[in-house]
């Protein structure tokens, strides 16, 4: 997953973009980048690490202009991070284009071959985002009227992207001398929303991965970008919209509501916080049928994203809710540690128990999901070491049995603890006295109840049904083989929360002045 921003303002946007990326930091902690436009000149700075590490005062001063886009990055589909893959990406033909992308193209290899063989375009990295940029650039060149662009030509180019690209993509683009473009794939898998801010100098626009960026930057939400839709803001700050896909279908990623998004965001008309409360309500009924309620003394969340579900579950069952784990936010994510022993040590450094909440009690631990199970096993051991008599475990999501190929870096099937195991078998693996999983239909209902217009979801990591229709067993085997050949990614998604942060100090400084080419 990644976080993207696009801003059209009446004053310099560098600070707006920086502040917006800080708000979206939970969506990507490996790299960050900002590109701004000043006339026909682009200014770009990007590098590995957190936003606060990538951008210093000198870098911000080198990003003038009232237009800009920003990006925070996690690797996707098992890719290891390379400095050259930090976004935004730039291409100088036609017109000069800078692009940032959240998602993953499932036909990137095919497109890369087409780019070289047919379109005569060179792809310099392994990033599917660079592929997408070049597909868009090629389609834009084909749609342009000689050396001039109009709004319909831009939307025609987006339609060409939809015809050629498969997978998930939410995109922001700067076109030198023309304006800001944003568009979303025909399934709406990855989120994208936009809003406006009225000023004496004119209307400002902001498009972002999550509504929380609009809220904190003082923009009023207009609406979500629809699946297949494109919006374009021209140099006169006029907003244009167009549906560019032939048969769009609303199919948002349900894992956004479980784990990825901030609880204070609203995605596709659904409050993430309220959805997690509903998950807790429905999970409570599942727990009631599996574990005698009188056998549970206390409900304890595993910080942080499981907290709303755990609170609501406790309320429905009439069981006390307690904070039993204290989180150290200054420890790196567990999955960067080499070897299982170091991973376990890091979990102990990250979480510590409040002993009085466990000693002599039968506890129900609630987490948002279980992926590998390494962290879950360690947490159960910590609860027992703190004196718990019984340790039950509940997951607000169903078993994760399949990799996500639409922009979330998940382990291969062989690394997922739910592969080939029943709930009882998984309980034994993590050391719990009992394990209760949410039903997939209940999970979908918890989101759909807040927006009945959402009838289809991407839930592929739970059910193996890939909605784009181009992912089969051979595709999964290919990405697993690719992952096994590469060094372990810094973001092999374990059972950690999306707001953890890890710092890398090395910064790749690219103060480019690209519009002069």
């Amino acid at each position: 997953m990644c976080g993207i921003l696009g801003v059209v303002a009446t004053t310099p946007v560098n600070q707006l973009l920086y502040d917006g990326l800080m708000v979206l930091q939970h969506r990507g902690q490996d790299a960050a980048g900002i590109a701004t436009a000043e006339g026909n000149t682009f200014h770009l700075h990007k590098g590995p690490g957190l936003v606060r590490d990538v951008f210093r005062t000198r870098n911000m001063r080198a990003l003038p202009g009232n237009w800009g886009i920003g990006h925070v990055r996690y690797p996707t589909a098992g890719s290891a991070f390379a400095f050259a893959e930090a976004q935004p990406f730039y291409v100088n033909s036609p017109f000069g284009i800078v692009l940032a992308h959240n998602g993953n193209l499932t036909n990137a290899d095919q497109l890369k071959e087409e780019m070289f063989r047919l379109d005569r375009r060179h792809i310099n990295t392994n990033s599917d985002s660079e592929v997408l940029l070049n597909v868009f650039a090629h389609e834009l060149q084909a749609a342009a009227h000689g050396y001039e662009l109009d709004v319909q030509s831009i939307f025609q180019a987006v339609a060409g992207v939809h015809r050629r690209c498969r997978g998930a993509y939410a995109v922001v683009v700067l076109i030198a001398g023309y304006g800001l473009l944003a568009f979303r794939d025909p399934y709406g898998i990855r989120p994208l929303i936009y809003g406006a801010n009225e000023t004496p100098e004119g209307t400002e626009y902001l498009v972002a991965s999550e509504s929380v960026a609009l809220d904190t930057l003082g923009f009023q939400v207009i609406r979500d970008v629809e699946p297949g839709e494109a919006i374009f803001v021209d140099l006169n700050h006029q907003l244009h919209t167009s549906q560019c896909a032939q048969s769009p279908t609303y199919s948002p990623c349900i894992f956004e509501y479980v784990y990825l998004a901030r609880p204070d965001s609203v995605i596709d008309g659904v409050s993430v916080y309220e959805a997690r409360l509903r998950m807790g309500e429905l999970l409570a009924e599942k727990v009631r049928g599996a574990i005698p309620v009188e056998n549970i003394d206390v409900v304890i969340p595993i910080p942080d994203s499981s907290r709303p579900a755990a609170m609501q579950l406790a309320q429905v069952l009439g069981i006390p809710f307690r904070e039993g784990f204290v989180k150290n936010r200054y420890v790196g994510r567990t999955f960067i540690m080499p070897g299982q022993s170091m991973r376990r040590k890091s979990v102990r450094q990250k979480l510590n128990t409040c002993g009085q909440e466990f000693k002599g009690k039968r506890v129900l631990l609630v987490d948002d999901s279980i992926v590998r199970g390494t962290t879950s096993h360690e947490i159960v051991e910590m609860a027992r070491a703190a004196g718990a008599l019984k340790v039950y475990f509940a997951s607000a999501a169903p078993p994760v049995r399949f990799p996500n190929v639409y922009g979330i870096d998940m382990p291969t099937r062989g690394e997922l603890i739910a592969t080939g195991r029943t709930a009882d078998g998984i309980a034994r693996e993590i050391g719990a006295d009992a394990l209760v999983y949410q039903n997939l239909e209940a999970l979908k209902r918890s989101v759909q109840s807040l927006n009945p217009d959402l009838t289809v979801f991407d839930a592929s990591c739970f059910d193996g049904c890939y909605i784009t229709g181009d992912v089969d067993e051979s595709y999964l085997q290919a990405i697993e083989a690719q992952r096994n050949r590469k060094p372990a990614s810094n973001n092999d998604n374990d059972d950690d929360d999306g707001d953890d942060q890890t710092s890398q100090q090395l910064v790749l400084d690219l103060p480019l002045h690209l519009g002069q080419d």
Side-chain angles (χ1 to χ4, degrees):
M1 65 175 181
C2 299
I4 60 174
L5 281 173
V7 181
V8 175
T10 56
T11 56
V13 295
N14 52 359
Q15 188 68 53
L16 272 175
L17 288 165
Y18 179 92
D19 293 342
L21 291 183
M22 289 291 288
V23 172
L24 296 178
Q25 185 74 85
H26 62 286
R27 299 192 66 87
Q29 298 155 39
D30 267 8
I34 289 176
T36 59
E38 184 184 31
N40 289 332
T41 300
F42 290 147
H43 306 275
L44 174 65
H45 179 74
K46 59 183 180 179
L50 300 176
V51 175
R52 68 184 183 212
D53 299 323
V54 172
F55 296 98
R56 304 295 185 183
T57 301
R58 65 181 181 276
N59 309 130
M60 298 296 288
R61 288 173 176 166
L63 293 169
N66 296 356
W67 302 65
I69 62 175
H71 187 270
V72 286
R73 180 186 189 271
Y74 268 147
T76 59
S79 63
F81 175 69
F83 293 167
E85 294 177 9
Q87 297 187 42
F89 279 109
Y90 165 77
V91 69
N92 69 351
S93 176
F95 308 107
I97 303 168
V98 181
L99 175 147
H101 163 223
N102 174 32
N104 186 57
L105 301 184
T106 53
N107 65 336
D109 290 343
Q110 173 192 335
L111 289 170
K112 191 172 184 178
E113 182 181 346
E114 290 178 6
M115 287 286 102
F116 180 77
R117 184 169 51 86
L118 301 176
D119 299 344
R120 297 295 186 258
R121 284 185 169 270
H122 175 249
I123 310 299
N124 198 50
T125 71
N126 291 321
S127 173
D128 64 311
S129 301
E130 189 187 8
V131 174
L132 192 152
L133 167 62
N134 278 273
V135 171
F136 173 73
H138 179 81
E139 294 298 324
L140 191 63
Q141 187 169 0
H145 305 291
Y147 297 101
E148 295 296 328
L149 269 182
D150 57 29
V151 174
Q152 290 309 310
S153 298
I154 293 170
F155 289 151
Q156 184 180 337
V158 175
V161 171
H162 290 334
R163 286 193 299 270
R164 297 181 66 180
C165 295
R166 299 289 179 268
Y169 47 93
V171 182
V172 287
V173 184
L174 288 177
I175 305 174
Y178 288 93
L180 172 71
L181 172 70
F183 58 92
R184 194 176 182 188
D185 72 76
Y187 295 91
I189 299 173
R190 300 264 72 87
L192 197 62
I193 191 169
Y194 71 99
N197 177 44
E198 299 297 336
T199 74
E201 293 78 23
T203 304
E204 300 179 326
Y205 292 97
L206 186 148
V207 59
S209 293
E210 295 185 30
S211 64
V212 64
L214 281 73
D215 297 338
T216 58
L217 297 179
F219 283 72
Q220 296 297 313
V221 170
I222 296 176
R223 60 177 175 84
D224 296 277
V225 178
E226 296 180 359
E229 185 183 25
I231 66 171
F232 179 71
V233 183
D234 63 28
L235 295 182
N236 296 318
H237 290 225
Q238 295 298 309
L239 178 70
H240 311 266
T241 68
S242 177
Q243 177 54 254
C244 300
Q246 291 185 347
S247 302
T249 304
Y250 238 129
S251 308
C253 173
I254 203 163
F255 211 63
E256 290 278 355
Y257 303 99
V258 172
Y259 170 81
L260 299 180
R262 272 183 42 157
D264 47 343
S265 284
V266 177
I267 295 178
D268 292 317
V270 175
S271 161
V272 175
Y273 180 76
E274 287 190 44
R276 291 176 183 171
L277 291 178
R278 299 290 177 93
M279 291 174 201
E281 290 178 10
L282 297 176
L283 183 59
E285 299 308 315
K286 187 79 179 294
V287 169
R288 193 194 304 274
I291 305 170
V293 175
E294 61 271 16
N295 289 355
I296 305 172
D297 297 316
V298 63
V299 173
I300 294 176
I302 297 172
D304 284 313
S305 52
S306 66
R307 188 171 286 114
M311 287 192 301
Q312 198 70 359
L313 180 148
Q315 181 174 335
V316 171
L317 296 181
I319 301 171
F321 172 88
R322 295 290 185 270
E323 295 284 354
F325 294 100
V326 176
K327 190 172 189 177
N328 180 357
R329 298 185 179 278
Y330 304 97
V331 175
R333 294 173 68 85
T334 58
F335 45 66
I336 69 173
M337 303 300 176
Q340 294 294 81
S341 61
M342 286 297 293
R343 188 187 298 261
R344 286 192 287 269
K345 180 180 178 182
S346 181
V347 175
R348 299 280 180 144
Q349 291 173 337
K350 181 187 296 185
L351 292 177
N352 191 38
T353 55
C354 296
Q356 66 272 21
E357 299 299 344
F358 293 91
K359 189 172 183 180
K361 296 179 182 179
R362 298 163 298 181
V363 301
L364 173 63
L365 304 180
V366 180
D367 206 352
D368 52 68
S369 58
I370 304 172
V371 183
R372 277 195 181 90
T374 306
T375 303
S376 303
H377 179 271
E378 189 66 15
I379 286 172
V380 170
E381 284 193 354
M382 291 171 66
R384 293 196 189 281
L389 298 178
K390 292 280 187 180
V391 181
Y392 307 113
F393 208 102
S395 168
V400 177
R401 302 187 187 278
F402 301 90
N404 183 292
V405 301
Y406 297 131
I408 307 171
D409 184 29
M410 277 190 174
T412 62
R413 286 170 291 181
E415 299 173 277
L416 297 170
I417 193 172
T419 300
R421 292 186 178 93
T422 64
D424 289 342
I426 299 168
R428 288 191 294 271
E429 287 290 324
I430 66 174
D433 293 292
L435 171 61
V436 180
Y437 275 108
Q438 181 78 283
N439 291 327
L440 180 54
E441 288 308 312
L443 175 61
K444 292 179 179 180
R445 195 161 66 249
S446 66
V447 178
Q448 188 181 21
S449 64
L450 300 171
N451 183 359
D453 292 335
L454 298 179
T455 59
V456 180
F457 296 94
D458 167 51
S460 52
C461 59
F462 304 123
D463 60 13
C465 296
Y466 296 92
I467 60 174
T468 54
D470 61 334
V471 178
D472 55 16
E473 179 62 26
S474 62
Y475 181 92
L476 296 180
Q477 289 179 358
I479 63 172
E480 288 172 359
Q482 180 185 37
R483 187 185 184 99
N484 291 335
R485 287 194 301 268
K486 288 185 176 182
S489 162
N490 283 350
N491 286 290
D492 296 342
N493 187 24
D494 202 356
D495 309 321
D496 297 295
D497 295 295
D499 58 356
D500 286 331
Q501 296 183 346
T502 181
S503 174
Q504 302 180 47
Q505 296 297 322
L506 182 61
V507 175
L508 178 65
D509 194 353
L510 296 174
L512 305 181
H513 301 281
L514 305 174
Q516 304 294 334
D517 293 348

